[in-house]
Amino acid sequence: MRDLVVMDHPDCHGRIADLAGRLQRVLCVFRSPAEPDAAFAPVMPSVTTARLRLPLDAVHTHFAAQH
């Protein structure tokens, strides 16, 4: 069954899992949700904790439901 899932979702266990790991690391580096918002505001104001959580939550939801 696992082979079938990997065929249906070839990027999940590679690129998508790597992306989720990177997003999680960014969020874990900071002690509070306000810290990344303040840190990124001067250079990338569109990068916020809430926006980083969106794709991470989507990956978690997909993995929980499909894998």
Side-chain angles (χ1 to χ4, degrees):
M1 180 67 172
R2 185 186 185 299
D3 292 336
L4 181 60
V5 171
V6 172
M7 275 181 45
D8 289 345
H9 306 130
D11 291 330
C12 285
H13 296 281
R15 292 187 333 189
I16 300 301
D18 183 55
L19 171 64
R22 289 171 188 249
L23 289 168
Q24 189 66 51
R25 279 192 293 279
V26 168
L27 292 170
C28 287
V29 168
F30 300 96
R31 288 177 274 182
S32 74
E35 286 185 20
D37 296 353
F40 287 113
V43 290
M44 294 182 287
S46 62
V47 175
T48 64
T49 300
R51 286 187 173 164
L52 291 172
R53 290 229 44 98
L54 286 172
L56 185 58
D57 290 345
V59 170
H60 287 164
T61 300
H62 173 77
F63 270 71
Q66 301 295 322
H67 303 281

